[in-house]
mmCIF file with all atom_site columns, all heavy atoms in Angstrom:
data_model
loop_
_atom_site.group_PDB
_atom_site.id
_atom_site.type_symbol
_atom_site.label_atom_id
_atom_site.label_alt_id
_atom_site.label_comp_id
_atom_site.label_asym_id
_atom_site.label_entity_id
_atom_site.label_seq_id
_atom_site.pdbx_PDB_ins_code
_atom_site.Cartn_x
_atom_site.Cartn_y
_atom_site.Cartn_z
_atom_site.occupancy
_atom_site.B_iso_or_equiv
_atom_site.pdbx_formal_charge
_atom_site.auth_seq_id
_atom_site.auth_comp_id
_atom_site.auth_asym_id
_atom_site.auth_atom_id
_atom_site.pdbx_PDB_model_num
ATOM 1   N N   . SER A 1 114 ? -151.604 48.439 -181.097 1.00 0.00 ? 114 SER A N   1
ATOM 2   C CA  . SER A 1 114 ? -151.321 49.930 -181.044 1.00 0.00 ? 114 SER A CA  1
ATOM 3   C C   . SER A 1 114 ? -151.581 50.449 -179.636 1.00 0.00 ? 114 SER A C   1
ATOM 4   O O   . SER A 1 114 ? -150.744 51.157 -179.099 1.00 0.00 ? 114 SER A O   1
ATOM 5   C CB  . SER A 1 114 ? -152.008 50.639 -182.067 1.00 0.00 ? 114 SER A CB  1
ATOM 6   O OG  . SER A 1 114 ? -151.645 52.052 -182.118 1.00 0.00 ? 114 SER A OG  1
ATOM 7   N N   . LYS A 1 115 ? -152.733 50.169 -179.111 1.00 0.00 ? 115 LYS A N   1
ATOM 8   C CA  . LYS A 1 115 ? -153.052 50.731 -177.821 1.00 0.00 ? 115 LYS A CA  1
ATOM 9   C C   . LYS A 1 115 ? -152.272 50.166 -176.720 1.00 0.00 ? 115 LYS A C   1
ATOM 10  O O   . LYS A 1 115 ? -151.894 50.870 -175.773 1.00 0.00 ? 115 LYS A O   1
ATOM 11  C CB  . LYS A 1 115 ? -154.541 50.311 -177.522 1.00 0.00 ? 115 LYS A CB  1
ATOM 12  C CG  . LYS A 1 115 ? -155.103 50.754 -176.238 1.00 0.00 ? 115 LYS A CG  1
ATOM 13  C CD  . LYS A 1 115 ? -155.355 52.326 -176.384 1.00 0.00 ? 115 LYS A CD  1
ATOM 14  C CE  . LYS A 1 115 ? -156.164 52.742 -175.046 1.00 0.00 ? 115 LYS A CE  1
ATOM 15  N NZ  . LYS A 1 115 ? -156.061 54.260 -174.989 1.00 0.00 ? 115 LYS A NZ  1
ATOM 16  N N   . LEU A 1 116 ? -151.672 48.859 -176.882 1.00 0.00 ? 116 LEU A N   1
ATOM 17  C CA  . LEU A 1 116 ? -150.819 48.317 -175.789 1.00 0.00 ? 116 LEU A CA  1
ATOM 18  C C   . LEU A 1 116 ? -149.346 48.516 -176.115 1.00 0.00 ? 116 LEU A C   1
ATOM 19  O O   . LEU A 1 116 ? -148.509 47.951 -175.330 1.00 0.00 ? 116 LEU A O   1
ATOM 20  C CB  . LEU A 1 116 ? -151.235 46.785 -175.628 1.00 0.00 ? 116 LEU A CB  1
ATOM 21  C CG  . LEU A 1 116 ? -152.564 46.421 -175.182 1.00 0.00 ? 116 LEU A CG  1
ATOM 22  C CD1 . LEU A 1 116 ? -152.826 44.926 -175.210 1.00 0.00 ? 116 LEU A CD1 1
ATOM 23  C CD2 . LEU A 1 116 ? -152.888 47.007 -173.871 1.00 0.00 ? 116 LEU A CD2 1
ATOM 24  N N   . ASN A 1 117 ? -149.049 49.185 -177.213 1.00 0.00 ? 117 ASN A N   1
ATOM 25  C CA  . ASN A 1 117 ? -147.668 49.334 -177.544 1.00 0.00 ? 117 ASN A CA  1
ATOM 26  C C   . ASN A 1 117 ? -146.868 48.000 -177.745 1.00 0.00 ? 117 ASN A C   1
ATOM 27  O O   . ASN A 1 117 ? -145.751 47.977 -177.283 1.00 0.00 ? 117 ASN A O   1
ATOM 28  C CB  . ASN A 1 117 ? -146.951 50.250 -176.590 1.00 0.00 ? 117 ASN A CB  1
ATOM 29  C CG  . ASN A 1 117 ? -147.352 51.659 -176.634 1.00 0.00 ? 117 ASN A CG  1
ATOM 30  O OD1 . ASN A 1 117 ? -147.667 52.223 -177.713 1.00 0.00 ? 117 ASN A OD1 1
ATOM 31  N ND2 . ASN A 1 117 ? -147.837 52.240 -175.496 1.00 0.00 ? 117 ASN A ND2 1
ATOM 32  N N   . LYS A 1 118 ? -147.497 47.027 -178.266 1.00 0.00 ? 118 LYS A N   1
ATOM 33  C CA  . LYS A 1 118 ? -146.889 45.731 -178.505 1.00 0.00 ? 118 LYS A CA  1
ATOM 34  C C   . LYS A 1 118 ? -145.990 45.774 -179.638 1.00 0.00 ? 118 LYS A C   1
ATOM 35  O O   . LYS A 1 118 ? -146.323 46.421 -180.779 1.00 0.00 ? 118 LYS A O   1
ATOM 36  C CB  . LYS A 1 118 ? -147.951 44.671 -178.852 1.00 0.00 ? 118 LYS A CB  1
ATOM 37  C CG  . LYS A 1 118 ? -148.633 44.136 -177.636 1.00 0.00 ? 118 LYS A CG  1
ATOM 38  C CD  . LYS A 1 118 ? -147.823 43.231 -176.783 1.00 0.00 ? 118 LYS A CD  1
ATOM 39  C CE  . LYS A 1 118 ? -148.736 42.823 -175.607 1.00 0.00 ? 118 LYS A CE  1
ATOM 40  N NZ  . LYS A 1 118 ? -148.063 41.753 -174.913 1.00 0.00 ? 118 LYS A NZ  1
ATOM 41  N N   . PRO A 1 119 ? -144.726 45.194 -179.638 1.00 0.00 ? 119 PRO A N   1
ATOM 42  C CA  . PRO A 1 119 ? -143.928 45.207 -180.825 1.00 0.00 ? 119 PRO A CA  1
ATOM 43  C C   . PRO A 1 119 ? -144.676 44.503 -181.973 1.00 0.00 ? 119 PRO A C   1
ATOM 44  O O   . PRO A 1 119 ? -145.165 43.458 -181.798 1.00 0.00 ? 119 PRO A O   1
ATOM 45  C CB  . PRO A 1 119 ? -142.706 44.327 -180.332 1.00 0.00 ? 119 PRO A CB  1
ATOM 46  C CG  . PRO A 1 119 ? -142.627 44.573 -178.838 1.00 0.00 ? 119 PRO A CG  1
ATOM 47  C CD  . PRO A 1 119 ? -144.051 44.629 -178.464 1.00 0.00 ? 119 PRO A CD  1
ATOM 48  N N   . LEU A 1 120 ? -144.580 45.072 -183.220 1.00 0.00 ? 120 LEU A N   1
ATOM 49  C CA  . LEU A 1 120 ? -145.498 44.663 -184.251 1.00 0.00 ? 120 LEU A CA  1
ATOM 50  C C   . LEU A 1 120 ? -144.688 44.772 -185.537 1.00 0.00 ? 120 LEU A C   1
ATOM 51  O O   . LEU A 1 120 ? -143.959 45.773 -185.913 1.00 0.00 ? 120 LEU A O   1
ATOM 52  C CB  . LEU A 1 120 ? -146.585 45.470 -184.372 1.00 0.00 ? 120 LEU A CB  1
ATOM 53  C CG  . LEU A 1 120 ? -147.471 45.311 -185.605 1.00 0.00 ? 120 LEU A CG  1
ATOM 54  C CD1 . LEU A 1 120 ? -148.174 43.923 -185.626 1.00 0.00 ? 120 LEU A CD1 1
ATOM 55  C CD2 . LEU A 1 120 ? -148.610 46.413 -185.540 1.00 0.00 ? 120 LEU A CD2 1
ATOM 56  N N   . VAL A 1 121 ? -144.693 43.680 -186.300 1.00 0.00 ? 121 VAL A N   1
ATOM 57  C CA  . VAL A 1 121 ? -144.184 43.619 -187.623 1.00 0.00 ? 121 VAL A CA  1
ATOM 58  C C   . VAL A 1 121 ? -145.282 43.297 -188.659 1.00 0.00 ? 121 VAL A C   1
ATOM 59  O O   . VAL A 1 121 ? -145.993 42.345 -188.305 1.00 0.00 ? 121 VAL A O   1
ATOM 60  C CB  . VAL A 1 121 ? -142.908 42.691 -187.792 1.00 0.00 ? 121 VAL A CB  1
ATOM 61  C CG1 . VAL A 1 121 ? -142.460 42.674 -189.338 1.00 0.00 ? 121 VAL A CG1 1
ATOM 62  C CG2 . VAL A 1 121 ? -141.849 43.075 -186.875 1.00 0.00 ? 121 VAL A CG2 1
ATOM 63  N N   . LYS A 1 122 ? -145.416 43.985 -189.647 1.00 0.00 ? 122 LYS A N   1
ATOM 64  C CA  . LYS A 1 122 ? -146.506 43.873 -190.602 1.00 0.00 ? 122 LYS A CA  1
ATOM 65  C C   . LYS A 1 122 ? -146.053 43.359 -192.006 1.00 0.00 ? 122 LYS A C   1
ATOM 66  O O   . LYS A 1 122 ? -145.054 43.827 -192.455 1.00 0.00 ? 122 LYS A O   1
ATOM 67  C CB  . LYS A 1 122 ? -147.264 45.141 -190.849 1.00 0.00 ? 122 LYS A CB  1
ATOM 68  C CG  . LYS A 1 122 ? -147.774 45.743 -189.673 1.00 0.00 ? 122 LYS A CG  1
ATOM 69  C CD  . LYS A 1 122 ? -148.457 47.135 -189.840 1.00 0.00 ? 122 LYS A CD  1
ATOM 70  C CE  . LYS A 1 122 ? -147.383 48.273 -190.179 1.00 0.00 ? 122 LYS A CE  1
ATOM 71  N NZ  . LYS A 1 122 ? -147.929 49.535 -190.285 1.00 0.00 ? 122 LYS A NZ  1
ATOM 72  N N   . ILE A 1 123 ? -146.673 42.271 -192.512 1.00 0.00 ? 123 ILE A N   1
ATOM 73  C CA  . ILE A 1 123 ? -146.416 41.698 -193.815 1.00 0.00 ? 123 ILE A CA  1
ATOM 74  C C   . ILE A 1 123 ? -147.685 41.897 -194.691 1.00 0.00 ? 123 ILE A C   1
ATOM 75  O O   . ILE A 1 123 ? -148.724 41.296 -194.361 1.00 0.00 ? 123 ILE A O   1
ATOM 76  C CB  . ILE A 1 123 ? -146.038 40.261 -193.728 1.00 0.00 ? 123 ILE A CB  1
ATOM 77  C CG1 . ILE A 1 123 ? -144.803 40.100 -192.881 1.00 0.00 ? 123 ILE A CG1 1
ATOM 78  C CG2 . ILE A 1 123 ? -145.770 39.687 -195.030 1.00 0.00 ? 123 ILE A CG2 1
ATOM 79  C CD1 . ILE A 1 123 ? -144.333 38.635 -192.640 1.00 0.00 ? 123 ILE A CD1 1
ATOM 80  N N   . LYS A 1 124 ? -147.554 42.646 -195.728 1.00 0.00 ? 124 LYS A N   1
ATOM 81  C CA  . LYS A 1 124 ? -148.710 42.843 -196.689 1.00 0.00 ? 124 LYS A CA  1
ATOM 82  C C   . LYS A 1 124 ? -150.076 43.047 -195.969 1.00 0.00 ? 124 LYS A C   1
ATOM 83  O O   . LYS A 1 124 ? -151.178 42.732 -196.398 1.00 0.00 ? 124 LYS A O   1
ATOM 84  C CB  . LYS A 1 124 ? -148.760 41.652 -197.599 1.00 0.00 ? 124 LYS A CB  1
ATOM 85  C CG  . LYS A 1 124 ? -147.546 41.491 -198.395 1.00 0.00 ? 124 LYS A CG  1
ATOM 86  C CD  . LYS A 1 124 ? -147.744 40.396 -199.444 1.00 0.00 ? 124 LYS A CD  1
ATOM 87  C CE  . LYS A 1 124 ? -146.484 40.097 -200.315 1.00 0.00 ? 124 LYS A CE  1
ATOM 88  N NZ  . LYS A 1 124 ? -146.311 41.204 -201.276 1.00 0.00 ? 124 LYS A NZ  1
ATOM 89  N N   . VAL A 1 125 ? -150.001 43.977 -194.851 1.00 0.00 ? 125 VAL A N   1
ATOM 90  C CA  . VAL A 1 125 ? -151.307 44.386 -194.242 1.00 0.00 ? 125 VAL A CA  1
ATOM 91  C C   . VAL A 1 125 ? -152.015 45.417 -195.121 1.00 0.00 ? 125 VAL A C   1
ATOM 92  O O   . VAL A 1 125 ? -151.450 46.407 -195.458 1.00 0.00 ? 125 VAL A O   1
ATOM 93  C CB  . VAL A 1 125 ? -150.844 44.912 -192.849 1.00 0.00 ? 125 VAL A CB  1
ATOM 94  C CG1 . VAL A 1 125 ? -152.105 45.508 -192.173 1.00 0.00 ? 125 VAL A CG1 1
ATOM 95  C CG2 . VAL A 1 125 ? -150.363 43.717 -191.977 1.00 0.00 ? 125 VAL A CG2 1
ATOM 96  N N   . PRO A 1 126 ? -153.260 45.203 -195.472 1.00 0.00 ? 126 PRO A N   1
ATOM 97  C CA  . PRO A 1 126 ? -153.980 46.048 -196.285 1.00 0.00 ? 126 PRO A CA  1
ATOM 98  C C   . PRO A 1 126 ? -154.503 47.327 -195.581 1.00 0.00 ? 126 PRO A C   1
ATOM 99  O O   . PRO A 1 126 ? -155.156 48.181 -196.339 1.00 0.00 ? 126 PRO A O   1
ATOM 100 C CB  . PRO A 1 126 ? -155.159 45.178 -196.783 1.00 0.00 ? 126 PRO A CB  1
ATOM 101 C CG  . PRO A 1 126 ? -155.414 44.246 -195.535 1.00 0.00 ? 126 PRO A CG  1
ATOM 102 C CD  . PRO A 1 126 ? -154.095 43.924 -195.041 1.00 0.00 ? 126 PRO A CD  1
#
Side-chain angles (χ1 to χ4, degrees):
S114 181
K115 184 73 176 169
L116 298 177
N117 294 313
K118 286 282 179 169
L120 170 66
V121 176
K122 302 176 290 187
I123 300 175
K124 297 185 180 283
V125 170

